[in-house]
Structure formats: C-alpha cells, structure tokens
Coordinates of all heavy atoms in Angstrom, one line a residue:
M225 N -99.7 32.3 -6.9 CA -99.3 32.1 -8.3 C -98.0 32.9 -8.5 O -98.0 33.9 -8.1 CB -100.4 32.4 -9.2 CG -100.0 32.1 -10.7 SD -101.5 32.4 -11.8 CE -102.6 31.0 -11.3
E226 N -97.2 32.4 -9.3 CA -95.9 33.0 -9.6 C -95.8 33.3 -11.0 O -96.0 32.6 -11.9 CB -94.8 32.0 -9.2 CG -93.5 32.3 -9.5 CD -92.5 31.2 -9.2 OE1 -93.0 30.2 -8.7 OE2 -91.3 31.3 -9.5
D227 N -95.5 34.6 -11.2 CA -95.4 35.1 -12.6 C -94.0 34.9 -13.1 O -93.0 35.4 -12.5 CB -95.8 36.6 -12.7 CG -97.3 36.8 -12.6 OD1 -97.9 35.9 -13.1 OD2 -97.6 37.8 -12.0
I228 N -93.8 34.3 -14.2 CA -92.5 34.1 -14.8 C -92.4 35.1 -16.0 O -93.2 34.9 -17.0 CB -92.2 32.7 -15.2 CG1 -92.3 31.8 -14.0 CG2 -90.9 32.6 -16.0 CD1 -92.1 30.3 -14.3
V229 N -91.6 36.0 -15.9 CA -91.4 37.0 -17.0 C -90.3 36.4 -17.9 O -89.2 36.3 -17.6 CB -91.1 38.3 -16.5 CG1 -90.8 39.3 -17.7 CG2 -92.2 38.8 -15.6
V230 N -90.6 36.2 -19.2 CA -89.6 35.7 -20.1 C -89.3 36.8 -21.1 O -90.2 37.2 -21.9 CB -90.2 34.4 -20.9 CG1 -89.1 34.1 -21.9 CG2 -90.5 33.3 -19.9
E231 N -88.1 37.3 -21.1 CA -87.7 38.3 -22.0 C -86.8 37.6 -23.1 O -85.7 37.1 -22.8 CB -86.9 39.4 -21.4 CG -87.8 40.1 -20.4 CD -86.9 41.2 -19.7 OE1 -85.9 41.6 -20.3 OE2 -87.4 41.7 -18.7
E232 N -87.4 37.6 -24.3 CA -86.8 36.7 -25.3 C -85.4 37.2 -25.7 O -84.5 36.4 -26.0 CB -87.7 36.7 -26.6 CG -89.0 36.1 -26.4 CD -89.8 36.0 -27.7 OE1 -89.5 36.7 -28.6 OE2 -90.9 35.4 -27.6
N233 N -85.1 38.5 -25.7 CA -83.9 39.0 -26.2 C -82.9 39.2 -24.9 O -81.9 39.8 -25.1 CB -84.1 40.4 -26.8 CG -84.8 41.4 -26.0 OD1 -85.2 41.0 -24.8 ND2 -84.9 42.6 -26.4
D234 N -83.3 38.7 -23.9 CA -82.4 38.9 -22.6 C -81.4 37.7 -22.5 O -80.3 37.9 -22.7 CB -83.3 39.1 -21.5 CG -82.4 39.5 -20.2 OD1 -81.4 39.9 -20.5 OD2 -82.9 39.2 -19.1
D235 N -82.0 36.6 -22.1 CA -81.0 35.5 -21.8 C -81.6 34.2 -22.3 O -82.5 33.6 -21.6 CB -80.8 35.5 -20.3 CG -79.7 34.4 -20.0 OD1 -79.3 33.6 -20.8 OD2 -79.1 34.5 -18.9
E236 N -81.3 33.8 -23.5 CA -82.0 32.7 -24.1 C -81.7 31.4 -23.4 O -82.5 30.4 -23.3 CB -81.6 32.6 -25.5 CG -82.2 33.7 -26.4 CD -81.9 33.5 -27.9 OE1 -81.6 32.4 -28.2 OE2 -82.1 34.4 -28.6
L237 N -80.5 31.3 -22.8 CA -80.1 30.1 -22.1 C -81.0 29.8 -20.9 O -81.5 28.7 -20.6 CB -78.7 30.2 -21.7 CG -78.0 28.9 -21.1 CD1 -78.2 27.7 -22.0 CD2 -76.6 29.1 -20.7
T238 N -81.2 30.9 -20.1 CA -82.1 30.8 -19.0 C -83.5 30.4 -19.4 O -84.1 29.5 -18.8 CB -82.2 32.2 -18.2 OG1 -80.9 32.5 -17.9 CG2 -83.1 32.0 -17.0
V239 N -84.0 31.0 -20.5 CA -85.3 30.6 -21.0 C -85.4 29.1 -21.4 O -86.2 28.4 -21.0 CB -85.7 31.4 -22.2 CG1 -87.0 30.9 -22.8 CG2 -85.9 32.9 -21.7
F240 N -84.3 28.7 -22.0 CA -84.2 27.2 -22.5 C -84.3 26.4 -21.2 O -85.0 25.4 -21.2 CB -83.0 27.0 -23.3 CG -82.8 25.6 -23.7 CD1 -83.6 25.1 -24.7 CD2 -82.0 24.8 -23.0 CE1 -83.5 23.7 -25.1 CE2 -81.8 23.5 -23.4 CZ -82.6 22.9 -24.4
Q241 N -83.5 26.7 -20.2 CA -83.4 25.9 -19.0 C -84.8 25.7 -18.3 O -85.1 24.7 -17.8 CB -82.4 26.4 -18.1 CG -80.9 26.0 -18.6 CD -79.9 26.7 -17.7 OE1 -80.1 27.6 -17.0 NE2 -78.6 26.2 -17.9
E242 N -85.5 26.9 -18.3 CA -86.8 26.9 -17.6 C -87.8 26.0 -18.4 O -88.5 25.3 -17.9 CB -87.3 28.3 -17.4 CG -86.6 29.1 -16.4 CD -87.1 30.4 -16.2 OE1 -87.9 30.8 -17.0 OE2 -86.6 31.2 -15.3
A243 N -87.7 26.2 -19.7 CA -88.6 25.4 -20.6 C -88.2 23.9 -20.5 O -89.2 23.1 -20.4 CB -88.4 25.8 -22.1
D244 N -87.0 23.6 -20.3 CA -86.6 22.2 -20.2 C -87.2 21.7 -18.8 O -87.5 20.5 -18.8 CB -85.1 22.1 -20.3 CG -84.7 20.6 -20.4 OD1 -85.2 20.0 -21.3 OD2 -83.8 20.2 -19.6
D245 N -87.2 22.5 -17.9 CA -87.6 22.0 -16.6 C -89.2 21.8 -16.6 O -89.7 20.9 -15.9 CB -87.4 23.1 -15.5 CG -87.7 22.7 -14.1 OD1 -87.3 21.5 -13.8 OD2 -88.4 23.4 -13.4
E246 N -89.9 22.5 -17.5 CA -91.4 22.3 -17.6 C -91.6 21.4 -18.7 O -91.7 21.8 -19.8 CB -92.1 23.7 -17.8 CG -92.0 24.6 -16.7 CD -92.9 24.3 -15.6 OE1 -93.7 23.4 -15.8 OE2 -92.9 24.9 -14.5
E247 N -91.7 20.1 -18.3 CA -91.9 19.1 -19.3 C -93.3 19.2 -20.0 O -94.3 19.3 -19.2 CB -91.7 17.8 -18.7 CG -91.8 16.6 -19.7 CD -91.6 15.2 -19.1 OE1 -91.5 15.3 -17.8 OE2 -91.7 14.2 -19.7
M248 N -93.3 19.2 -21.3 CA -94.6 19.4 -22.0 C -95.1 18.0 -22.3 O -94.4 17.2 -22.8 CB -94.5 20.2 -23.3 CG -93.9 21.6 -23.1 SD -95.0 22.6 -22.1 CE -96.2 23.1 -23.5
V249 N -96.3 17.7 -22.0 CA -97.0 16.4 -22.2 C -98.3 16.7 -23.0 O -98.9 17.8 -22.8 CB -97.2 15.6 -21.0 CG1 -95.9 15.2 -20.4 CG2 -98.1 16.3 -20.0
E250 N -98.8 15.8 -23.7 CA -100.1 15.9 -24.4 C -101.1 15.5 -23.4 O -101.1 14.4 -22.8 CB -100.1 14.9 -25.6 CG -99.2 15.4 -26.8 CD -99.4 14.6 -28.0 OE1 -99.8 13.4 -27.9 OE2 -99.1 15.2 -29.1
V251 N -102.1 16.4 -23.2 CA -103.1 16.0 -22.2 C -104.5 16.3 -22.9 O -104.6 17.0 -23.9 CB -103.0 16.9 -21.0 CG1 -101.7 16.6 -20.2 CG2 -103.2 18.4 -21.3
C252 N -105.5 15.7 -22.2 CA -106.9 16.0 -22.6 C -107.2 17.5 -22.5 O -107.0 18.0 -21.4 CB -107.7 15.1 -21.8 SG -109.5 15.4 -22.0
P253 N -107.8 18.1 -23.5 CA -108.3 19.5 -23.4 C -109.3 19.7 -22.4 O -109.6 20.9 -22.0 CB -108.6 19.9 -24.8 CG -109.0 18.6 -25.4 CD -108.1 17.5 -24.8
V254 N -110.1 18.7 -22.1 CA -111.2 18.8 -21.2 C -110.8 18.7 -19.7 O -111.1 19.5 -18.9 CB -112.3 17.7 -21.5 CG1 -113.5 17.8 -20.6 CG2 -112.8 17.9 -23.0
C255 N -110.1 17.6 -19.4 CA -109.9 17.3 -18.0 C -108.4 17.4 -17.6 O -108.0 17.3 -16.4 CB -110.4 16.0 -17.6 SG -109.5 14.6 -18.3
G256 N -107.5 17.5 -18.6 CA -106.1 17.7 -18.3 C -105.4 16.3 -18.1 O -104.2 16.3 -17.6
S257 N -106.1 15.3 -18.3 CA -105.4 14.0 -18.0 C -104.5 13.6 -19.2 O -104.8 13.7 -20.3 CB -106.5 12.9 -17.9 OG -106.0 11.6 -17.9
P258 N -103.3 13.1 -18.8 CA -102.4 12.6 -19.8 C -102.7 11.2 -20.3 O -102.0 10.6 -21.1 CB -101.0 12.6 -19.1 CG -101.4 12.4 -17.7 CD -102.7 13.0 -17.4
D259 N -103.7 10.7 -19.6 CA -104.1 9.2 -19.9 C -104.9 9.2 -21.2 O -106.1 8.9 -21.1 CB -104.8 8.7 -18.7 CG -104.8 7.2 -18.7 OD1 -104.1 6.6 -19.6 OD2 -105.4 6.6 -17.9
L260 N -104.3 9.3 -22.4 CA -104.9 9.4 -23.6 C -104.5 8.2 -24.5 O -103.4 7.8 -24.3 CB -104.6 10.7 -24.4 CG -105.0 12.0 -23.7 CD1 -104.3 13.1 -24.4 CD2 -106.5 12.3 -23.8
Y261 N -105.3 7.8 -25.3 CA -104.9 6.9 -26.4 C -105.4 7.4 -27.8 O -106.5 8.0 -27.8 CB -105.2 5.4 -26.0 CG -106.7 5.1 -26.0 CD1 -107.4 4.6 -27.0 CD2 -107.4 5.3 -24.7 CE1 -108.7 4.3 -26.8 CE2 -108.7 5.1 -24.6 CZ -109.4 4.5 -25.6 OH -110.8 4.2 -25.5
Y262 N -104.7 7.1 -28.8 CA -104.9 7.5 -30.0 C -105.5 6.4 -30.9 O -104.8 5.4 -31.0 CB -103.6 8.1 -30.7 CG -103.9 8.9 -32.0 CD1 -104.5 10.1 -32.0 CD2 -103.5 8.3 -33.2 CE1 -104.8 10.7 -33.3 CE2 -103.7 8.9 -34.4 CZ -104.3 10.1 -34.4 OH -104.6 10.7 -35.6
E263 N -106.6 6.7 -31.5 CA -107.2 5.6 -32.2 C -107.1 6.1 -33.7 O -107.8 7.0 -34.1 CB -108.6 5.4 -31.8 CG -109.3 4.3 -32.6 CD -110.7 4.1 -32.1 OE1 -110.8 3.6 -30.9 OE2 -111.7 4.3 -32.8
A264 N -106.4 5.4 -34.5 CA -106.3 5.7 -35.9 C -107.3 4.8 -36.7 O -107.2 3.6 -36.5 CB -104.9 5.4 -36.5
G265 N -108.2 5.4 -37.2 CA -109.2 4.6 -38.0 C -110.1 5.5 -38.8 O -110.2 6.7 -38.6
G266 N -110.6 5.0 -39.9 CA -111.5 5.8 -40.7 C -110.6 6.8 -41.5 O -109.5 6.5 -41.8
T267 N -111.2 7.9 -41.7 CA -110.4 8.9 -42.4 C -109.5 9.7 -41.6 O -108.5 10.2 -42.0 CB -111.4 9.9 -43.1 OG1 -112.2 10.5 -42.1 CG2 -112.3 9.2 -44.1
E268 N -109.8 9.7 -40.2 CA -108.9 10.5 -39.4 C -108.8 9.8 -38.0 O -109.7 9.1 -37.6 CB -109.3 11.9 -39.2 CG -110.7 12.0 -38.6 CD -111.2 13.5 -38.7 OE1 -110.6 14.3 -39.4 OE2 -112.1 13.8 -37.9
G269 N -107.8 10.0 -37.3 CA -107.6 9.5 -36.0 C -108.2 10.4 -35.0 O -108.4 11.6 -35.2
L270 N -108.6 9.8 -33.9 CA -109.2 10.5 -32.8 C -108.5 10.2 -31.4 O -108.0 9.0 -31.2 CB -110.7 10.2 -32.6 CG -111.5 10.7 -33.7 CD1 -113.0 10.2 -33.6 CD2 -111.6 12.2 -33.8
F271 N -108.4 11.2 -30.6 CA -107.9 11.0 -29.3 C -109.1 10.6 -28.3 O -110.1 11.2 -28.3 CB -107.2 12.2 -28.8 CG -105.9 12.5 -29.4 CD1 -105.8 13.4 -30.5 CD2 -104.7 11.9 -29.1 CE1 -104.7 13.7 -31.1 CE2 -103.5 12.1 -29.7 CZ -103.5 13.1 -30.8
H272 N -108.7 9.6 -27.5 CA -109.7 9.2 -26.5 C -109.1 9.4 -25.1 O -108.0 9.0 -24.9 CB -110.1 7.7 -26.6 CG -110.8 7.4 -27.9 ND1 -112.0 6.7 -27.9 CD2 -110.4 7.6 -29.2 CE1 -112.3 6.5 -29.2 NE2 -111.4 7.0 -30.0
C273 N -109.9 10.1 -24.3 CA -109.4 10.3 -22.9 C -110.0 9.1 -22.0 O -111.2 9.1 -21.9 CB -109.8 11.6 -22.3 SG -109.4 11.8 -20.7
K274 N -109.1 8.4 -21.3 CA -109.7 7.4 -20.4 C -110.3 7.9 -19.2 O -111.2 7.3 -18.6 CB -108.5 6.4 -20.0 CG -108.0 5.7 -21.2 CD -106.7 4.8 -20.7 CE -106.1 4.0 -21.8 NZ -104.9 3.3 -21.3
Y275 N -110.0 9.2 -18.9 CA -110.5 9.7 -17.6 C -111.8 10.3 -17.7 O -112.7 9.9 -16.9 CB -109.4 10.8 -17.1 CG -109.8 11.3 -15.8 CD1 -109.6 10.6 -14.6 CD2 -110.3 12.6 -15.6 CE1 -109.9 11.1 -13.3 CE2 -110.7 13.1 -14.4 CZ -110.5 12.4 -13.3 OH -110.8 12.8 -12.1
C276 N -112.1 11.1 -18.7 CA -113.4 11.8 -18.8 C -114.2 11.3 -20.0 O -115.3 11.7 -20.1 CB -113.2 13.3 -18.8 SG -112.6 14.0 -20.5
G277 N -113.6 10.6 -20.9 CA -114.3 10.1 -22.0 C -114.3 11.0 -23.2 O -115.0 10.8 -24.2
Y278 N -113.5 12.0 -23.1 CA -113.3 12.9 -24.3 C -112.9 12.2 -25.6 O -112.0 11.3 -25.5 CB -112.3 14.0 -23.9 CG -111.7 14.8 -25.1 CD1 -112.5 15.8 -25.6 CD2 -110.5 14.5 -25.7 CE1 -112.1 16.5 -26.7 CE2 -110.1 15.2 -26.8 CZ -110.8 16.2 -27.3 OH -110.4 16.9 -28.4
I279 N -113.5 12.5 -26.6 CA -113.1 12.0 -27.9 C -113.0 13.2 -28.8 O -114.0 13.9 -29.1 CB -114.1 10.9 -28.5 CG1 -114.2 9.8 -27.5 CG2 -113.7 10.6 -29.9 CD1 -115.3 8.8 -28.0
G280 N -111.8 13.3 -29.4 CA -111.7 14.5 -30.4 C -110.4 14.4 -31.1 O -109.5 13.5 -30.8
G281 N -110.3 15.4 -32.0 CA -109.1 15.4 -32.9 C -107.9 16.1 -32.5 O -106.9 16.1 -33.1
F282 N -107.9 16.7 -31.3 CA -106.8 17.4 -30.8 C -106.6 17.2 -29.3 O -107.5 16.9 -28.6 CB -106.8 18.9 -31.2 CG -107.8 19.7 -30.2 CD1 -107.2 20.4 -29.2 CD2 -109.1 19.7 -30.5 CE1 -108.1 21.2 -28.4 CE2 -110.0 20.3 -29.7 CZ -109.5 21.1 -28.7
V283 N -105.3 17.4 -28.9 CA -105.0 17.4 -27.5 C -104.1 18.7 -27.3 O -103.8 19.3 -28.2 CB -104.2 16.1 -27.1 CG1 -105.1 15.0 -27.2 CG2 -103.0 16.0 -27.9
I284 N -103.9 18.9 -26.0 CA -103.1 20.1 -25.7 C -101.7 19.7 -25.1 O -101.6 18.7 -24.4 CB -103.8 20.9 -24.5 CG1 -105.2 21.4 -25.1 CG2 -103.0 22.0 -23.9 CD1 -106.0 22.3 -24.0
D285 N -100.7 20.4 -25.6 CA -99.4 20.3 -25.0 C -99.3 21.2 -23.8 O -99.4 22.4 -23.9 CB -98.3 20.7 -26.1 CG -98.1 19.7 -27.1 OD1 -98.2 18.5 -26.8 OD2 -98.0 20.1 -28.3
A286 N -99.1 20.6 -22.6 CA -99.2 21.4 -21.5 C -98.1 21.0 -20.5 O -97.6 19.8 -20.5 CB -100.6 21.2 -20.8
N287 N -97.7 22.0 -19.7 CA -96.8 21.7 -18.6 C -97.6 21.4 -17.3 O -98.8 21.5 -17.3 CB -95.7 22.8 -18.5 CG -96.4 24.1 -18.2 OD1 -97.4 24.2 -17.6 ND2 -95.8 25.2 -18.6
K288 N -96.8 21.2 -16.3 CA -97.5 20.9 -15.0 C -98.5 21.9 -14.6 O -99.5 21.6 -14.1 CB -96.5 20.6 -14.0 CG -95.8 19.3 -14.1 CD -94.7 19.1 -13.1 CE -93.9 17.8 -13.4 NZ -92.7 17.7 -12.4
K289 N -98.1 23.2 -14.7 CA -99.0 24.3 -14.3 C -100.3 24.3 -15.1 O -101.4 24.5 -14.6 CB -98.3 25.6 -14.3 CG -97.3 25.8 -13.3 CD -96.6 27.2 -13.4 CE -95.5 27.3 -12.3 NZ -94.7 28.6 -12.4
M290 N -100.1 24.1 -16.4 CA -101.3 24.2 -17.3 C -102.1 23.0 -17.0 O -103.4 23.1 -16.9 CB -100.8 24.2 -18.7 CG -100.1 25.4 -19.2 SD -99.3 25.3 -20.8 CE -100.8 25.1 -21.9
I291 N -101.6 21.8 -16.7 CA -102.4 20.7 -16.4 C -103.2 20.9 -15.2 O -104.4 20.6 -15.1 CB -101.5 19.5 -16.2 CG1 -100.9 19.1 -17.6 CG2 -102.3 18.3 -15.7 CD1 -99.8 18.0 -17.5
Q292 N -102.6 21.6 -14.2 CA -103.3 21.8 -12.9 C -104.4 22.8 -13.1 O -105.5 22.6 -12.6 CB -102.3 22.4 -11.9 CG -102.8 22.4 -10.5 CD -103.2 21.0 -10.0 OE1 -102.4 20.1 -10.0 NE2 -104.4 20.9 -9.5
L293 N -104.1 23.8 -14.0 CA -105.3 24.7 -14.2 C -106.4 24.0 -15.0 O -107.6 24.2 -14.6 CB -104.7 25.8 -15.2 CG -103.8 26.9 -14.5 CD1 -103.3 27.8 -15.5 CD2 -104.6 27.6 -13.4
I294 N -106.1 23.2 -15.9 CA -107.2 22.5 -16.7 C -108.0 21.6 -15.7 O -109.2 21.6 -15.7 CB -106.6 21.7 -17.8 CG1 -106.0 22.7 -18.8 CG2 -107.7 20.9 -18.5 CD1 -105.2 21.9 -19.9
R295 N -107.2 20.9 -14.8 CA -107.9 20.0 -13.9 C -108.8 20.7 -12.9 O -109.9 20.3 -12.6 CB -106.9 19.2 -13.1 CG -106.3 18.0 -14.0 CD -105.4 17.2 -13.2 NE -104.9 16.1 -14.0 CZ -103.9 15.3 -13.7 NH1 -103.3 15.5 -12.5 NH2 -103.5 14.4 -14.4
D296 N -108.2 21.9 -12.4 CA -109.1 22.7 -11.5 C -110.3 23.1 -12.2 O -111.4 23.1 -11.6 CB -108.3 23.9 -11.0 CG -107.2 23.6 -10.1 OD1 -107.2 22.4 -9.6 OD2 -106.3 24.4 -9.9
E297 N -110.2 23.6 -13.4 CA -111.3 24.0 -14.2 C -112.3 22.9 -14.4 O -113.6 23.0 -14.2 CB -110.9 24.5 -15.6 CG -111.9 25.3 -16.4 CD -112.0 26.6 -16.1 OE1 -111.3 27.2 -15.2 OE2 -112.8 27.4 -16.8
Y298 N -111.8 21.8 -14.7 CA -112.7 20.6 -14.9 C -113.4 20.2 -13.7 O -114.6 19.9 -13.7 CB -111.8 19.4 -15.4 CG -112.6 18.1 -15.7 CD1 -113.5 18.0 -16.8 CD2 -112.5 17.1 -14.9 CE1 -114.2 16.9 -16.9 CE2 -113.1 15.9 -15.1 CZ -114.0 15.8 -16.1 OH -114.7 14.7 -16.3
E299 N -112.8 20.2 -12.6 CA -113.4 19.8 -11.3 C -114.4 20.9 -10.8 O -115.3 20.5 -10.2 CB -112.3 19.5 -10.3 CG -111.6 18.2 -10.6 CD -110.4 18.0 -9.8 OE1 -110.1 18.8 -8.8 OE2 -109.6 17.1 -10.0
N300 N -114.1 22.1 -11.2 CA -115.1 23.2 -10.8 C -116.4 23.0 -11.5 O -117.4 23.2 -10.9 CB -114.5 24.6 -11.1 CG -113.4 24.9 -10.0 OD1 -113.3 24.3 -8.9 ND2 -112.6 25.9 -10.4
K301 N -116.3 22.7 -12.8 CA -117.5 22.5 -13.5 C -117.4 21.2 -14.3 O -116.9 21.1 -15.3 CB -117.8 23.7 -14.5 CG -116.6 24.2 -15.1 CD -116.9 25.4 -16.1 CE -115.7 25.9 -16.7 NZ -116.0 27.0 -17.7
L302 N -118.1 20.2 -13.7 CA -117.9 18.9 -14.2 C -118.7 18.6 -15.5 O -118.6 17.7 -16.1 CB -118.3 17.8 -13.2 CG -117.2 17.5 -12.2 CD1 -117.7 16.6 -11.1 CD2 -115.9 17.0 -12.9
R303 N -119.4 19.6 -16.0 CA -120.0 19.5 -17.2 C -119.3 20.5 -18.2 O -119.4 21.7 -18.0 CB -121.5 19.8 -17.3 CG -122.2 19.9 -16.1 CD -123.6 20.3 -16.3 NE -124.4 19.4 -15.5 CZ -125.6 19.0 -15.8 NH1 -126.0 19.4 -17.0 NH2 -126.3 18.2 -15.1
V304 N -118.5 19.9 -19.1 CA -117.9 20.8 -20.1 C -118.3 20.1 -21.4 O -118.0 19.0 -21.7 CB -116.4 20.7 -20.0 CG1 -115.8 21.5 -21.1 CG2 -116.0 21.3 -18.6
S305 N -119.0 20.9 -22.2 CA -119.4 20.3 -23.5 C -118.4 20.7 -24.5 O -117.8 21.8 -24.5 CB -120.8 20.9 -23.9 OG -120.8 22.2 -24.0
E306 N -118.1 19.8 -25.4 CA -117.2 20.0 -26.5 C -117.8 21.0 -27.4 O -117.3 22.1 -27.7 CB -117.0 18.7 -27.2 CG -116.3 18.8 -28.6 CD -114.9 19.3 -28.4 OE1 -114.1 18.5 -28.0 OE2 -114.6 20.5 -28.6
Ligands
ZN288 ZN1 -110.3 13.9 -20.3

C-alpha cells in the first residue's frame, strides 16, 4: 500500500492533479459496485445496487482505491447488515 501525503499549504496544483487522476464515482456502500440505479418514488428516492441488492438512501463517492477496499471487505465477509 502506498501512502500519499497531501500537504494542503504546499502545492495545490499537485494535489489537484492527483485528485483529478483519481476519478470519484458513486458506489454501493456495501459492496463497492458502481452498478447502481436510483429509484425516485414515494417521499424519497432510494439507491438500488444491482450487484448485492443493497437498497438505501445514500451511496459513497469513492476512487479506485476506496472501491477496491470496499470490495475486499465485502468479499471477506459476505454478510454485511445495513
Ligand atoms: Zn452493492
């Protein structure tokens, strides 16, 4: 694992470029799958995960490393209760 030290007051341009390289996508908080669809209905919309069946009101903005971590976690313990 690689530690990236971000110093905010050092070089903002470098930070921005690194952030740009790590594309953030909305993923399922349970399994890390980006394969979500949003169902607007009733009083509030819910996210549905096609992969694990998660249904809930929030998703996670994650980059590739975070997605990998979530997936590893999910695969390690296939029962995750909301
Ligand atoms: Zn899922």
Side-chain angles (χ1 to χ4, degrees):
M225 182 174 292
E226 174 182 357
D227 286 327
I228 297 176
V229 178
V230 177
E231 297 182 13
E232 293 179 356
N233 57 355
D234 189 19
D235 189 344
E236 290 185 15
L237 184 59
T238 301
V239 173
F240 176 77
Q241 285 173 342
E242 286 177 359
D244 191 50
D245 187 49
E246 293 284 352
E247 184 182 359
M248 302 295 280
V249 295
E250 291 186 337
V251 301
C252 173
V254 176
C255 71
S257 171
D259 199 5
L260 299 163
Y261 59 99
Y262 187 75
E263 182 176 294
T267 56
E268 61 185 20
L270 292 173
F271 291 97
H272 296 232
C273 174
K274 294 180 183 177
Y275 184 75
C276 75
Y278 165 80
I279 298 175
F282 76 99
V283 293
I284 291 178
D285 285 322
N287 60 30
K288 288 177 184 174
K289 286 180 182 175
M290 291 169 66
I291 292 170
Q292 191 60 53
L293 286 174
I294 296 168
R295 283 186 179 164
D296 287 347
E297 188 89 353
Y298 178 70
E299 284 166 11
N300 283 341
K301 36 179 179 179
L302 277 175
R303 346 177 132 215
V304 176
S305 60
E306 168 67 74

